[in-house]
Amino acid sequence: MRSKLTDAALLLILAAGAARADTTLTIATIANGDMTIMQQLSGTFEQAHPGIHLRWQVMDDAELRKQVLAAMNSGQPTFDVITVGTYEAPLWGKRGWLTPLDALPADYQVDDLLKPVRKALSWQDKLYALPFYGESSMTYYRKDLFAARGLTMPEEINWSDIKRLAAKLTDKANGVYGLCLRGRPGWGDNVAFVTTMANGYGAQWFDLDWKPTLDSPEWREVLSDYVQMVHDYGPPDSAENSFGQILKLFAEGKCAMWVDSTVAAGLLINPQISRVADKIDFAPAPGELTRNGSNWLWSWALAVPASAANKAAAQEFISWATSPAYIQQVAQTVGWGAVPPGSRYSTYQQASYQRLAPYAKRVQAAMESATVEQPTLGPVPYQGVQYVSIPGFDQMGNAVGENIAALLQGKLTLDETLQRNQQAVTEIYAKTNP
C-alpha cells in the first residue's frame, strides 16, 4: 500500500512538473527595431528553456500604453512580461503592480547597469524593471557649416549659445534651418523636449508643496525663447514635427543644429540613410542657469506584473533579454551597430562598439549626467527629468503639449498658454493625486 501511494505521489509530482515546464509567456512589447531583433533571437532562450514558449503581442507606443495600463488596473494576469518606461516603473512599483527584481542571478551583473537608468527604474532603491535600452539627449550639429562661418561649438553649451549660433547658421533662402526642434504635442514629444529646456532655465512643474508652477517667470522665459527660436530659425510647420520628421530633415542636410534623442546618432552617421553622415558632430544638450535636467533620460525596460501567472519563467526571460550575454549575442549575430545602447557599462567598454559608434562616449556621458532625482535648479518633490513620475502626468503633459503647439501656431498668446497650462495641471493633479 505504501509503495502504491509513493508511486501515485511521484506521478503527481511529475505531472505538476510537466505542467510547470509547459509554460507560455505572453509578452507585451513595442514595435521598434530593437524589439524585432529580440524576437528574432528569442529562439535561443526557448532552446535553453524547454517547455517555455513565447507569445508576442507587439504594438505601437500608444496602443502598448493603453493595453498595459488597462491590464494593470484590472489586476488580471493578462501579460507575463510588459514593456514599460522610466515613467511607469517607479510609479507602478510603488503601487505594487510590478514584481520586485531583488533576486537576480549573479551572472546578470546588476552593477553593470548604468546607475542613472537603474535608479530611474527603481522605487526606494528596489529595481522593478530591467533596461532593454536607454537614451538621453544631445546636440547634433553640422561641423562643415560651422567651419564655413568660422563658428565653434562650446563644450559646455547653453541655450544662449544655441540662439546666437542658430541666428548665424540660418539660411532659409538655401533651405538650411539654423535649429530644428520638436513641436508635435504630447507628453513624450514637445513636452519631453521643452521640459529639459525648462529644467536648464530653473523652471519646474511643482514646488515642494506640490503646487503647480507652470505660470512662473521661468516658464514664461522658456516658452518665449522656444517660440522665438522655432519661428526665426526653424522649418515651417514645426508644430507637426516629431523625432522622425526632424531626423529626415537633418539627414537631408536641412538642419544646422538639432537637440534631441541620442538614438538618432547611429542613423545620422549611416551614409545609406544620411546625406551628411560625414559632416556631423556631437555636443551635450544645452543648459542655461543649471545643467541639472538638461539631459533627458528614458529607457524601454521589461517588467513582470505582480498579477502575472508565470512569474518565475517571466523573470528568467527578462533576465536573459537584458543580460550581457544577450548583448554579445546581438553583436555576434547582427553586429555591434545593432546592440541595444544605453543600458550597460560593459557595452561602452567594447573596442568594437567604440569603433562603430564615434558618439558612444558622448552618449554614455549624457546618460551618466542625467539627474533623475534633482532635475532642476531648486529642490523638487518628484523624480524624473523630462517627465514627473506621478499619476496623471501623461494627461498633464498632453494638455500642456497641446497648449504649447497652439502657441507655436499663433492660436494662443503667451499669457493664455501659461494660464491654461497652470489651470490644466492644477485640475488634473487634484483628480489623479487625491
Side-chain angles (χ1 to χ4, degrees):
M1 177 66 73
R2 184 174 179 179
S3 176
K4 290 181 180 178
L5 285 174
T6 302
D7 291 344
L10 180 60
L11 287 172
L12 286 172
I13 291 170
L14 290 173
R20 282 197 300 271
D22 190 17
T23 300
T24 297
L25 298 180
T26 302
I27 303 168
T29 193
I30 191 167
N32 67 24
D34 289 305
M35 296 302 185
T36 299
I37 292 172
M38 180 172 66
Q39 292 172 59
Q40 293 170 346
L41 299 181
S42 62
T44 303
F45 174 83
E46 291 179 295
Q47 289 171 11
H49 299 79
I52 298 181
H53 310 288
L54 307 179
R55 180 171 63 212
W56 300 88
Q57 294 196 15
V58 181
M59 298 161 261
D60 63 26
D61 189 329
E63 187 63 22
L64 175 73
R65 293 183 189 279
K66 177 182 175 182
Q67 290 205 26
V68 169
L69 180 59
M72 295 300 99
N73 275 317
S74 73
Q76 297 299 311
T78 309
F79 303 114
D80 296 292
V81 174
I82 57 174
T83 304
V84 297
T86 48
Y87 167 61
E88 295 92 354
L91 181 62
W92 292 0
K94 180 182 179 181
R95 287 181 173 180
W97 285 1
L98 302 178
T99 302
L101 304 171
D102 48 12
L104 294 166
D107 62 0
Y108 184 76
Q109 301 177 33
V110 69
D111 290 336
D112 185 41
L113 298 176
L114 292 178
K115 289 181 180 178
V117 176
R118 182 177 173 182
K119 186 180 290 291
L121 295 172
S122 300
W123 171 252
Q124 294 184 337
D125 296 324
K126 186 170 289 188
L127 196 59
Y128 282 95
L130 302 181
F132 185 71
Y133 79 83
E135 65 178 77
S136 186
S137 54
M138 63 184 183
T139 303
Y140 301 93
Y141 67 98
R142 288 274 302 280
K143 57 187 178 183
D144 60 322
L145 297 181
F146 270 66
R149 290 162 177 76
L151 302 174
T152 302
M153 174 66 77
E155 179 58 31
E156 293 292 328
I157 190 169
N158 292 323
W159 280 106
S160 52
D161 299 313
I162 290 286
K163 287 191 289 183
R164 171 180 58 82
L165 293 167
K168 295 180 179 180
L169 291 162
T170 299
D171 185 7
K172 293 186 179 181
N174 290 306
V176 176
Y177 305 103
L179 179 64
C180 295
L181 300 175
R182 291 196 195 199
R184 179 178 292 180
W187 76 271
D189 243 317
N190 62 349
V191 168
F193 165 74
V194 171
T195 297
T196 57
M197 184 177 172
N199 293 338
Y201 279 59
Q204 53 198 61
W205 279 76
F206 296 90
D207 65 18
L208 288 173
D209 295 320
W210 287 105
K211 179 182 177 182
T213 59
L214 275 292
D215 58 356
S216 67
E218 292 83 1
W219 270 105
R220 176 180 291 275
E221 185 177 6
V222 170
L223 294 185
S224 177
D225 281 358
Y226 170 68
V227 170
Q228 181 258 314
M229 288 188 292
V230 170
H231 283 170
D232 292 354
Y233 314 131
D237 303 321
S238 284
E240 300 174 6
N241 286 343
S242 183
F243 175 86
Q245 288 74 28
I246 303 177
L247 176 69
K248 184 174 184 291
L249 287 170
F250 201 108
E252 291 173 346
K254 297 180 180 179
C255 299
M257 294 186 294
W258 179 26
V259 182
D260 211 295
S261 170
T262 54
V263 301
L267 300 170
L268 290 176
I269 67 164
N270 183 345
Q272 295 182 331
I273 297 172
S274 174
R275 297 179 185 174
V276 294
D278 60 343
K279 299 178 176 64
I280 295 172
D281 211 339
F282 315 94
E288 190 62 22
L289 296 178
T290 181
R291 303 206 71 77
N292 285 3
S294 59
N295 296 110
W296 78 45
L297 185 71
W298 184 257
S299 172
W300 280 118
L302 302 178
V304 178
S307 59
N310 304 292
K311 290 184 184 179
Q315 289 188 63
E316 285 189 63
F317 173 77
I318 68 172
S319 296
W320 168 81
T322 61
S323 67
Y326 174 80
I327 290 175
Q328 288 290 332
Q329 184 180 352
V330 174
Q332 293 167 9
T333 307
V334 188
W336 275 105
V339 301
S343 62
R344 290 184 171 273
Y345 291 107
S346 55
T347 300
Y348 293 93
Q349 294 165 358
Q350 296 286 338
S352 298
Y353 185 64
Q354 292 174 12
R355 283 195 299 271
L356 276 171
Y359 48 83
K361 290 184 178 179
R362 179 72 71 188
V363 173
Q364 182 180 359
M367 297 197 67
E368 289 188 302
S369 66
T371 50
V372 176
E373 295 180 325
Q374 183 57 54
T376 188
L377 185 63
V380 291
Y382 53 84
Q383 175 173 305
V385 181
Q386 75 279 17
Y387 56 86
V388 179
S389 192
I390 58 172
F393 180 77
D394 50 349
Q395 300 171 48
M396 300 174 205
N398 287 339
V400 168
E402 291 289 350
N403 292 335
I404 293 175
L407 173 64
L408 272 185
Q409 295 169 315
K411 298 177 181 178
L412 292 176
T413 65
L414 180 57
D415 284 339
E416 289 170 336
T417 303
L418 293 167
Q419 186 273 327
R420 290 192 184 193
N421 285 348
Q422 180 73 1
Q423 181 179 353
V425 173
T426 300
E427 292 175 354
I428 296 170
Y429 179 80
K431 292 178 181 176
T432 54
N433 297 268

